Coordinates of all heavy atoms in Angstrom, one line a residue:
M112 N 0.8 -1.2 0.0 CA 0.0 0.0 0.0 C 0.9 1.2 0.0 O 0.6 2.2 -0.7 CB -0.9 -0.1 1.2 CG -1.8 1.1 1.3 SD -3.0 1.1 0.1 CE -4.0 2.4 0.5
R113 N 1.9 1.3 0.8 CA 2.7 2.5 0.8 C 3.5 2.7 -0.4 O 3.7 3.8 -0.8 CB 3.7 2.4 2.0 CG 3.1 2.5 3.4 CD 4.0 2.4 4.5 NE 3.3 2.5 5.7 CZ 3.8 2.1 6.8 NH1 5.0 1.6 6.9 NH2 3.1 2.1 8.0
L114 N 3.9 1.5 -1.0 CA 4.5 1.7 -2.4 C 3.6 2.3 -3.4 O 4.1 3.2 -4.1 CB 5.0 0.3 -2.8 CG 5.7 0.2 -4.2 CD1 7.1 1.0 -4.1 CD2 6.0 -1.2 -4.6
M115 N 2.4 1.9 -3.4 CA 1.5 2.6 -4.4 C 1.3 4.0 -4.1 O 1.1 4.8 -5.0 CB 0.1 1.9 -4.3 CG 0.2 0.4 -4.8 SD 0.8 0.3 -6.4 CE -0.5 0.9 -7.4
V116 N 1.3 4.5 -2.8 CA 1.2 5.9 -2.5 C 2.4 6.6 -2.9 O 2.3 7.7 -3.5 CB 0.9 6.0 -1.0 CG1 1.0 7.5 -0.6 CG2 -0.5 5.5 -0.6
L117 N 3.6 6.0 -2.7 CA 4.8 6.6 -3.1 C 4.9 6.8 -4.6 O 5.4 7.8 -5.2 CB 6.0 5.9 -2.6 CG 6.3 6.1 -1.1 CD1 7.5 5.1 -0.7 CD2 6.7 7.6 -0.8
L118 N 4.5 5.8 -5.3 CA 4.5 5.8 -6.8 C 3.4 6.7 -7.4 O 3.5 7.3 -8.5 CB 4.5 4.5 -7.4 CG 5.6 3.6 -7.1 CD1 5.5 2.2 -7.7 CD2 6.9 4.3 -7.6
G119 N 2.2 6.7 -6.7 CA 1.0 7.5 -7.3 C 1.1 8.9 -7.1 O 0.5 9.6 -7.9
N120 N 1.7 9.4 -6.0 CA 1.7 10.8 -5.8 C 2.4 11.6 -6.9 O 1.9 12.6 -7.4 CB 2.4 11.2 -4.4 CG 1.4 11.0 -3.4 OD1 0.2 11.1 -3.6 ND2 1.8 10.8 -2.1
P121 N 3.6 11.3 -7.3 CA 4.3 12.0 -8.4 C 3.5 11.8 -9.7 O 3.5 12.8 -10.5 CB 5.7 11.4 -8.5 CG 5.9 10.4 -7.4 CD 4.6 10.2 -6.8
S122 N 2.9 10.7 -9.9 CA 2.3 10.5 -11.2 C 0.9 11.2 -11.3 O 0.4 11.4 -12.4 CB 2.2 9.0 -11.6 OG 1.3 8.4 -10.6
S123 N 0.3 11.5 -10.1 CA -1.0 12.1 -10.2 C -0.9 13.5 -10.5 O -1.8 14.1 -11.2 CB -1.7 11.9 -8.9 OG -1.0 12.7 -7.8
G124 N 0.1 14.3 -10.2 CA 0.3 15.7 -10.5 C -0.5 16.6 -9.8 O -0.1 17.6 -9.2
G125 N -1.9 16.4 -9.7 CA -2.8 17.4 -9.1 C -3.2 17.1 -7.7 O -3.4 17.9 -6.8
A126 N -3.1 15.9 -7.3 CA -3.5 15.5 -5.8 C -2.5 16.2 -4.9 O -2.9 16.8 -3.8 CB -3.5 14.0 -5.7
V127 N -1.2 16.0 -5.1 CA -0.1 16.6 -4.3 C 0.8 17.4 -5.2 O 1.4 16.7 -6.1 CB 0.6 15.5 -3.5 CG1 1.7 16.1 -2.6 CG2 -0.3 14.8 -2.6
S128 N 1.0 18.6 -5.0 CA 1.8 19.4 -5.8 C 3.3 19.0 -5.7 O 3.7 18.6 -4.6 CB 1.7 20.9 -5.5 OG 2.5 21.6 -6.4
W129 N 4.1 19.1 -6.7 CA 5.4 18.6 -6.7 C 6.3 19.2 -5.6 O 7.2 18.7 -5.0 CB 6.1 18.6 -7.9 CG 6.4 19.9 -8.6 CD1 5.5 20.6 -9.5 CD2 7.5 20.8 -8.4 NE1 6.0 21.8 -9.8 CE2 7.2 21.9 -9.2 CE3 8.6 20.7 -7.6 CZ2 8.1 23.0 -9.2 CZ3 9.5 21.8 -7.6 CH2 9.2 22.9 -8.4
P130 N 6.1 20.6 -5.3 CA 6.9 21.2 -4.2 C 6.6 20.6 -2.8 O 7.5 20.6 -1.9 CB 6.5 22.6 -4.2 CG 6.1 22.9 -5.6 CD 5.4 21.7 -6.0
L131 N 5.5 19.9 -2.6 CA 5.1 19.4 -1.4 C 5.6 17.9 -1.2 O 5.5 17.4 -0.1 CB 3.6 19.4 -1.2 CG 3.1 20.9 -1.2 CD1 1.5 20.8 -1.1 CD2 3.6 21.7 -0.1
L132 N 6.1 17.3 -2.3 CA 6.6 16.0 -2.2 C 8.0 15.9 -1.7 O 8.7 16.9 -1.8 CB 6.4 15.3 -3.6 CG 5.0 15.0 -4.1 CD1 5.1 14.6 -5.6 CD2 4.3 14.0 -3.2
P133 N 8.5 14.7 -1.2 CA 10.0 14.7 -0.9 C 10.7 14.9 -2.2 O 10.2 14.8 -3.4 CB 10.1 13.2 -0.6 CG 8.8 12.8 -0.1 CD 7.8 13.6 -0.8
S134 N 11.9 15.3 -2.1 CA 12.7 16.0 -3.2 C 12.9 15.0 -4.5 O 12.6 15.4 -5.6 CB 14.2 16.3 -2.8 OG 14.9 15.1 -2.3
L135 N 13.1 13.7 -4.2 CA 13.2 12.8 -5.4 C 11.9 12.6 -6.1 O 11.8 12.7 -7.3 CB 13.8 11.4 -4.9 CG 13.8 10.4 -6.0 CD1 14.8 10.8 -7.1 CD2 14.3 9.0 -5.5
L136 N 10.8 12.4 -5.3 CA 9.5 12.2 -5.9 C 9.0 13.5 -6.6 O 8.3 13.5 -7.5 CB 8.5 11.8 -4.8 CG 8.8 10.4 -4.3 CD1 7.7 10.1 -3.1 CD2 8.8 9.3 -5.3
G137 N 9.4 14.7 -6.0 CA 9.0 16.0 -6.6 C 9.7 16.1 -8.0 O 9.1 16.6 -8.9
E138 N 10.9 15.7 -8.1 CA 11.6 15.9 -9.3 C 11.0 14.9 -10.4 O 10.8 15.2 -11.6 CB 13.1 15.6 -9.1 CG 13.8 16.6 -8.5 CD 13.8 17.9 -9.3 OE1 14.0 17.9 -10.5 OE2 13.7 19.0 -8.7
I139 N 10.6 13.7 -10.0 CA 9.9 12.8 -10.9 C 8.7 13.3 -11.4 O 8.3 13.3 -12.5 CB 9.8 11.4 -10.2 CG1 11.2 10.7 -10.0 CG2 8.9 10.5 -11.1 CD1 11.1 9.5 -9.2
G140 N 7.8 13.9 -10.4 CA 6.6 14.4 -10.7 C 6.6 15.6 -11.7 O 5.7 15.8 -12.5
R141 N 7.6 16.4 -11.7 CA 7.8 17.5 -12.6 C 7.9 17.1 -14.0 O 7.6 17.8 -14.9 CB 9.0 18.4 -12.2 CG 8.8 19.1 -10.9 CD 10.0 19.8 -10.6 NE 10.2 21.0 -11.6 CZ 11.3 21.7 -11.6 NH1 12.2 21.5 -10.7 NH2 11.4 22.6 -12.4
W142 N 8.5 15.9 -14.2 CA 8.8 15.4 -15.5 C 7.7 14.5 -16.2 O 7.8 14.1 -17.3 CB 10.1 14.7 -15.6 CG 11.3 15.5 -15.4 CD1 11.9 15.9 -14.2 CD2 12.0 16.3 -16.4 NE1 12.9 16.7 -14.5 CE2 13.0 17.0 -15.8 CE3 11.9 16.4 -17.7 CZ2 13.8 17.8 -16.5 CZ3 12.7 17.2 -18.5 CH2 13.7 17.9 -17.8
L143 N 6.7 14.3 -15.4 CA 5.5 13.5 -15.9 C 4.4 14.5 -16.4 O 4.2 15.6 -15.9 CB 5.0 12.6 -14.8 CG 6.0 11.6 -14.3 CD1 5.4 10.8 -13.1 CD2 6.3 10.6 -15.5
P144 N 3.6 14.1 -17.4 CA 2.7 14.9 -18.0 C 1.6 15.5 -17.0 O 1.3 16.6 -17.1 CB 1.9 14.1 -19.1 CG 3.0 13.1 -19.4 CD 3.8 12.8 -18.1
P145 N 1.1 14.7 -16.1 CA 0.1 15.3 -15.2 C 0.7 16.4 -14.3 O 0.1 17.5 -14.1 CB -0.4 14.1 -14.3 CG -0.1 12.9 -15.1 CD 1.1 13.2 -15.9
G146 N 1.9 16.2 -13.8 CA 2.5 17.2 -12.9 C 2.9 18.4 -13.7 O 2.7 19.6 -13.3
A147 N 3.3 18.3 -15.0 CA 3.6 19.4 -15.9 C 2.4 20.2 -16.2 O 2.4 21.5 -16.3 CB 4.4 18.9 -17.1
S148 N 1.3 19.5 -16.5 CA 0.0 20.2 -16.9 C -0.5 21.0 -15.7 O -1.0 22.1 -15.9 CB -0.9 19.3 -17.5 OG -1.4 18.4 -16.5
V149 N -0.4 20.4 -14.5 CA -1.0 21.1 -13.3 C -0.1 22.3 -13.0 O -0.6 23.4 -12.7 CB -1.1 20.1 -12.1 CG1 -1.3 20.9 -10.8 CG2 -2.2 19.1 -12.4
N150 N 1.2 22.1 -13.2 CA 2.2 23.2 -12.9 C 1.8 24.4 -13.9 O 1.9 25.6 -13.6 CB 3.6 22.7 -13.0 CG 4.6 23.7 -12.5 OD1 4.2 24.8 -12.0 ND2 5.8 23.4 -12.7
A151 N 1.7 24.0 -15.2 CA 1.4 25.1 -16.2 C 0.1 25.8 -15.9 O 0.0 27.0 -16.0 CB 1.4 24.4 -17.6
Q152 N -0.9 25.0 -15.5 CA -2.3 25.7 -15.2 C -2.1 26.5 -14.0 O -2.7 27.6 -13.9 CB -3.3 24.6 -15.0 CG -3.7 23.8 -16.2 CD -4.5 22.6 -16.0 OE1 -5.1 22.5 -14.9 NE2 -4.6 21.7 -16.9
H153 N -1.4 26.1 -13.0 CA -1.2 26.9 -11.7 C -0.5 28.2 -12.0 O -1.0 29.2 -11.5 CB -0.3 26.0 -10.8 CG -0.1 26.7 -9.5 ND1 1.1 27.3 -9.2 CD2 -0.9 26.9 -8.4 CE1 1.0 27.9 -8.0 NE2 -0.2 27.6 -7.5
T154 N 0.5 28.1 -12.8 CA 1.3 29.4 -13.1 C 0.4 30.4 -14.0 O 0.5 31.5 -13.9 CB 2.6 29.2 -13.7 OG1 2.4 28.4 -14.9 CG2 3.5 28.4 -12.7
A155 N -0.4 29.7 -14.9 CA -1.3 30.5 -15.8 C -2.4 31.2 -15.0 O -2.7 32.3 -15.3 CB -1.9 29.6 -16.9
V156 N -2.9 30.6 -13.9 CA -4.0 31.1 -13.2 C -3.6 32.1 -12.2 O -4.1 33.2 -12.1 CB -4.9 30.0 -12.6 CG1 -5.9 30.6 -11.7 CG2 -5.5 29.2 -13.7
Y157 N -2.6 31.7 -11.4 CA -2.2 32.5 -10.2 C -1.0 33.5 -10.5 O -0.9 34.5 -9.9 CB -1.8 31.6 -9.1 CG -2.9 30.9 -8.6 CD1 -3.0 29.5 -8.7 CD2 -4.0 31.5 -7.9 CE1 -4.2 28.7 -8.3 CE2 -5.1 30.8 -7.5 CZ -5.1 29.4 -7.6 OH -6.2 28.7 -7.2
F158 N -0.2 33.2 -11.5 CA 1.0 34.0 -11.8 C 1.0 34.4 -13.3 O 1.9 33.9 -14.0 CB 2.3 33.3 -11.4 CG 2.3 32.9 -10.0 CD1 2.2 31.6 -9.6 CD2 2.4 33.8 -8.9 CE1 2.2 31.1 -8.3 CE2 2.3 33.4 -7.6 CZ 2.2 32.0 -7.3
R159 N 0.0 35.0 -13.7 CA -0.2 35.2 -15.2 C 1.0 35.9 -15.9 O 1.3 35.5 -17.0 CB -1.5 36.0 -15.4 CG -1.9 36.2 -16.8 CD -3.2 36.9 -16.9 NE -4.2 36.0 -16.3 CZ -5.5 36.3 -16.1 NH1 -5.9 37.4 -16.5 NH2 -6.3 35.4 -15.5
H160 N 1.6 36.8 -15.2 CA 2.7 37.5 -15.9 C 4.0 36.9 -15.5 O 5.1 37.5 -15.9 CB 2.7 39.0 -15.4 CG 1.4 39.7 -15.8 ND1 1.0 39.9 -17.2 CD2 0.4 40.1 -15.0 CE1 -0.2 40.5 -17.1 NE2 -0.6 40.6 -15.9
N161 N 4.1 35.8 -14.9 CA 5.4 35.2 -14.5 C 5.4 33.7 -14.8 O 5.6 32.9 -13.8 CB 5.7 35.5 -13.0 CG 7.1 35.1 -12.7 OD1 8.0 35.0 -13.6 ND2 7.3 35.0 -11.4
Q162 N 5.0 33.3 -15.9 CA 4.8 31.8 -16.3 C 6.1 31.3 -16.6 O 7.1 32.0 -16.9 CB 3.9 31.7 -17.5 CG 2.4 32.1 -17.2 CD 1.5 31.7 -18.3 OE1 1.9 31.0 -19.2 NE2 0.3 32.3 -18.3
H163 N 6.2 30.0 -16.4 CA 7.5 29.3 -16.6 C 7.5 28.4 -17.9 O 6.3 28.0 -18.3 CB 7.8 28.3 -15.5 CG 8.0 29.0 -14.1 ND1 9.1 29.5 -13.7 CD2 7.0 29.3 -13.2 CE1 8.9 30.1 -12.5 NE2 7.7 30.0 -12.2
F164 N 8.6 28.3 -18.5 CA 8.6 27.6 -19.8 C 8.8 26.2 -19.6 O 8.3 25.3 -20.4 CB 9.8 28.1 -20.6 CG 10.0 27.4 -21.9 CD1 9.1 27.5 -23.0 CD2 11.0 26.5 -22.1 CE1 9.2 26.9 -24.2 CE2 11.2 25.8 -23.3 CZ 10.3 26.0 -24.4
F165 N 9.3 25.7 -18.4 CA 9.5 24.3 -18.2 C 8.4 23.4 -18.3 O 8.5 22.4 -19.0 CB 10.2 24.2 -16.8 CG 10.5 22.7 -16.5 CD1 11.7 22.2 -17.0 CD2 9.7 22.0 -15.6 CE1 12.0 20.8 -16.8 CE2 10.0 20.7 -15.3 CZ 11.2 20.1 -15.8
P166 N 7.2 23.7 -17.8 CA 6.1 22.7 -17.9 C 5.6 22.6 -19.3 O 5.3 21.5 -19.8 CB 5.0 23.3 -17.0 CG 5.4 24.5 -16.6 CD 6.8 24.7 -16.8
F167 N 5.7 23.7 -20.1 CA 5.3 23.6 -21.5 C 6.3 22.8 -22.3 O 5.9 22.0 -23.2 CB 5.1 25.0 -22.1 CG 4.0 25.8 -21.4 CD1 4.3 26.8 -20.5 CD2 2.7 25.5 -21.6 CE1 3.3 27.5 -19.8 CE2 1.7 26.1 -21.0 CZ 2.0 27.2 -20.1
A168 N 7.6 22.9 -22.0 CA 8.6 22.1 -22.7 C 8.5 20.6 -22.3 O 8.6 19.7 -23.3 CB 10.0 22.6 -22.2
V169 N 8.1 20.3 -21.1 CA 7.8 18.9 -20.8 C 6.6 18.3 -21.5 O 6.8 17.2 -22.1 CB 7.7 18.8 -19.2 CG1 7.2 17.3 -18.8 CG2 8.9 19.1 -18.5
L170 N 5.6 19.1 -21.6 CA 4.4 18.6 -22.3 C 4.7 18.5 -23.8 O 4.3 17.5 -24.5 CB 3.3 19.5 -22.1 CG 2.6 19.5 -20.7 CD1 1.7 20.6 -20.5 CD2 2.1 18.2 -20.4
G171 N 5.5 19.5 -24.3 CA 5.9 19.3 -25.8 C 6.8 18.2 -26.0 O 6.7 17.5 -27.1
A172 N 7.7 17.9 -25.0 CA 8.6 16.7 -25.3 C 7.8 15.4 -25.2 O 8.0 14.6 -26.1 CB 9.7 16.7 -24.2
W173 N 6.9 15.3 -24.3 CA 6.0 14.1 -24.2 C 5.2 14.0 -25.4 O 5.1 12.8 -26.0 CB 5.2 14.1 -23.0 CG 5.8 13.6 -21.8 CD1 6.4 14.4 -20.8 CD2 6.0 12.2 -21.3 NE1 6.9 13.6 -19.8 CE2 6.7 12.3 -20.1 CE3 5.6 11.0 -21.9 CZ2 7.0 11.1 -19.4 CZ3 5.9 9.9 -21.2 CH2 6.6 9.9 -20.0
A174 N 4.7 15.0 -25.9 CA 3.9 15.0 -27.2 C 4.7 14.5 -28.4 O 4.4 13.7 -29.2 CB 3.2 16.3 -27.5
A175 N 5.9 15.1 -28.5 CA 6.9 14.7 -29.6 C 7.2 13.3 -29.6 O 7.3 12.6 -30.5 CB 8.1 15.7 -29.6
V176 N 7.6 12.8 -28.3 CA 8.0 11.4 -28.2 C 6.8 10.5 -28.5 O 7.0 9.5 -29.2 CB 8.5 11.2 -26.8 CG1 8.6 9.7 -26.5 CG2 9.9 11.9 -26.6
S177 N 5.6 10.8 -28.0 CA 4.5 9.9 -28.3 C 4.1 9.9 -29.8 O 3.8 8.9 -30.3 CB 3.3 10.3 -27.5 OG 2.9 11.6 -27.8
C178 N 4.2 11.1 -30.5 CA 4.0 11.1 -31.9 C 5.0 10.3 -32.7 O 4.6 9.6 -33.6 CB 3.9 12.5 -32.4 SG 2.4 13.5 -31.9
A179 N 6.3 10.4 -32.2 CA 7.3 9.7 -32.9 C 7.1 8.2 -32.7 O 7.3 7.4 -33.7 CB 8.7 10.0 -32.4
V180 N 6.7 7.7 -31.6 CA 6.5 6.3 -31.3 C 5.3 5.8 -32.2 O 5.4 4.7 -32.8 CB 6.2 6.0 -29.8 CG1 5.6 4.7 -29.5 CG2 7.5 6.3 -28.9
F181 N 4.2 6.5 -32.2 CA 3.1 6.1 -33.0 C 3.4 6.1 -34.5 O 2.9 5.3 -35.3 CB 1.8 6.9 -32.6 CG 1.2 6.5 -31.4 CD1 1.1 7.5 -30.3 CD2 1.0 5.3 -31.1 CE1 0.6 7.3 -29.1 CE2 0.4 4.9 -29.7 CZ 0.3 5.9 -28.8
W182 N 4.2 7.1 -34.9 CA 4.5 7.2 -36.3 C 5.5 6.0 -36.8 O 5.2 5.4 -37.8 CB 5.3 8.5 -36.7 CG 5.5 8.7 -38.1 CD1 4.7 9.0 -39.0 CD2 6.8 8.7 -38.7 NE1 5.3 9.2 -40.2 CE2 6.6 8.9 -40.0 CE3 8.1 8.3 -38.2 CZ2 7.7 8.9 -41.0 CZ3 9.1 8.3 -39.1 CH2 8.9 8.6 -40.5
I183 N 6.4 5.7 -35.9 CA 7.3 4.5 -36.2 C 6.4 3.2 -36.1 O 6.6 2.4 -37.0 CB 8.4 4.5 -35.1 CG1 9.4 5.7 -35.5 CG2 9.2 3.2 -35.2 CD1 10.4 5.9 -34.4
W184 N 5.6 3.2 -35.1 CA 4.8 1.9 -35.0 C 3.8 1.8 -36.2 O 3.7 0.6 -36.8 CB 3.9 2.0 -33.7 CG 3.1 0.8 -33.5 CD1 1.7 0.5 -34.0 CD2 3.5 -0.4 -32.9 NE1 1.4 -0.7 -33.6 CE2 2.4 -1.2 -32.9 CE3 4.7 -0.8 -32.2 CZ2 2.4 -2.5 -32.3 CZ3 4.6 -2.0 -31.6 CH2 3.6 -2.9 -31.7
R185 N 3.3 2.8 -36.7 CA 2.4 2.8 -37.9 C 3.1 2.3 -39.2 O 2.7 1.5 -40.0 CB 1.8 4.1 -38.2 CG 0.7 4.1 -39.3 CD 0.2 5.4 -39.6 NE 1.1 6.0 -40.5 CZ 1.2 7.2 -41.0 NH1 0.4 8.1 -40.5 NH2 2.1 7.6 -41.8
H186 N 4.4 2.8 -39.3 CA 5.1 2.4 -40.5 C 5.7 0.9 -40.4 O 5.9 0.3 -41.4 CB 6.3 3.3 -40.7 CG 5.8 4.6 -41.3 ND1 5.3 4.8 -42.6 CD2 5.8 5.8 -40.8 CE1 5.0 6.0 -42.8 NE2 5.2 6.7 -41.8
R187 N 5.8 0.4 -39.2 CA 6.2 -1.0 -39.0 C 5.1 -1.9 -39.2 O 5.2 -3.1 -39.5 CB 7.0 -1.1 -37.7 CG 8.3 -0.5 -37.7 CD 9.1 -0.8 -36.5 NE 10.3 -0.1 -36.5 CZ 11.4 -0.5 -35.9 NH1 11.3 -1.6 -35.2 NH2 12.5 0.2 -35.9
H188 N 3.9 -1.5 -38.8 CA 2.7 -2.3 -38.8 C 1.6 -1.5 -39.6 O 0.7 -0.9 -39.0 CB 2.2 -2.6 -37.4 CG 3.3 -3.2 -36.6 ND1 3.6 -4.5 -36.7 CD2 4.1 -2.7 -35.6 CE1 4.6 -4.8 -35.8 NE2 4.9 -3.7 -35.2
P189 N 1.6 -1.6 -40.9 CA 0.8 -0.7 -41.7 C -0.7 -1.3 -41.9 O -1.1 -1.5 -42.9 CB 1.4 -0.7 -43.0 CG 2.2 -2.0 -43.2 CD 2.6 -2.3 -41.8
G190 N -1.4 -1.4 -40.8 CA -2.8 -1.8 -40.9 C -3.1 -3.1 -40.5 O -4.2 -3.4 -40.1
G191 N -2.3 -4.1 -40.7 CA -2.6 -5.4 -40.2 C -3.4 -6.2 -41.3 O -3.6 -7.5 -41.2
R192 N -3.9 -5.6 -42.3 CA -4.7 -6.3 -43.4 C -4.0 -6.0 -44.7 O -3.5 -5.1 -44.9 CB -6.1 -5.8 -43.4 CG -7.0 -6.2 -42.1 CD -8.4 -5.8 -42.4 NE -8.5 -4.5 -41.7 CZ -9.7 -3.9 -41.5 NH1 -10.8 -4.6 -41.9 NH2 -9.8 -2.8 -40.9
E193 N -4.3 -7.0 -45.6 CA -3.9 -6.7 -47.0 C -4.8 -5.8 -47.7 O -6.0 -5.7 -47.4 CB -3.8 -8.1 -47.7 CG -2.8 -9.0 -47.2 CD -2.6 -10.2 -48.0 OE1 -3.0 -10.2 -49.2 OE2 -2.3 -11.2 -47.4
A194 N -4.4 -5.1 -48.7 CA -5.1 -4.0 -49.4 C -6.3 -4.7 -50.1 O -7.4 -4.1 -50.2 CB -4.2 -3.3 -50.4
N195 N -6.1 -5.9 -50.7 CA -7.2 -6.5 -51.5 C -8.4 -7.0 -50.6 O -9.5 -7.0 -51.0 CB -6.7 -7.8 -52.2 CG -5.7 -7.4 -53.3 OD1 -5.7 -6.3 -53.7 ND2 -4.8 -8.3 -53.6
A196 N -8.2 -7.3 -49.3 CA -9.2 -7.7 -48.4 C -10.1 -6.5 -48.0 O -11.3 -6.7 -47.9 CB -8.7 -8.3 -47.1
A197 N -9.7 -5.3 -48.1 CA -10.5 -4.1 -47.7 C -11.4 -3.7 -49.0 O -12.4 -3.3 -48.8 CB -9.6 -3.0 -47.3
V198 N -10.9 -4.0 -50.2 CA -11.5 -3.7 -51.4 C -12.7 -4.7 -51.8 O -13.6 -4.3 -52.3 CB -10.6 -3.5 -52.5 CG1 -11.3 -3.2 -53.9 CG2 -9.5 -2.4 -52.2
S199 N -12.5 -5.9 -51.4 CA -13.5 -6.9 -51.8 C -14.8 -6.7 -51.2 O -14.8 -6.3 -50.1 CB -13.0 -8.3 -51.5 OG -12.9 -8.5 -50.1
G200 N -15.8 -7.0 -51.8 CA -17.2 -6.8 -51.2 C -18.3 -6.7 -52.1 O -18.8 -6.6 -52.9

């Protein structure tokens, strides 16, 4: 149970903010998409004129990596069916 709490807090992002977590878990939470999105929303709402670039860079990096993974996967597995099977009918 304690292990799930230790792993779940940094990955949740919104339940416990990363500055309130122990240092190692806080650093992990900043690099995960939920923590970065909550951090970006927090600075946009409360510190409108003092936003940070870091959470947006983290979200952009996760988006770029996920798009690259799906693009590579699509080219290695192009549909799973033959072209003639889709045309017949």
Side-chain angles (χ1 to χ4, degrees):
M112 179 70 174
R113 290 181 183 164
L114 179 64
M115 294 303 290
V116 170
L117 284 175
L118 295 177
N120 277 338
S122 65
S123 67
V127 178
S128 183
W129 65 266
L131 301 176
L132 291 171
S134 60
L135 177 64
L136 296 178
E138 286 299 318
I139 292 170
R141 292 177 65 185
W142 288 93
L143 296 174
S148 65
V149 168
N150 193 6
Q152 293 171 17
H153 178 261
T154 57
V156 170
Y157 294 110
F158 307 107
R159 184 171 299 175
H160 301 292
N161 192 19
Q162 293 186 14
H163 300 273
F164 178 72
F165 181 76
F167 298 104
V169 170
L170 291 172
W173 276 98
V176 167
S177 63
C178 287
V180 166
F181 288 122
W182 185 74
I183 291 169
W184 183 269
R185 189 186 81 189
H186 285 292
R187 290 188 183 204
H188 305 283
R192 290 187 265 195
E193 294 186 27
N195 294 337
V198 175
S199 67

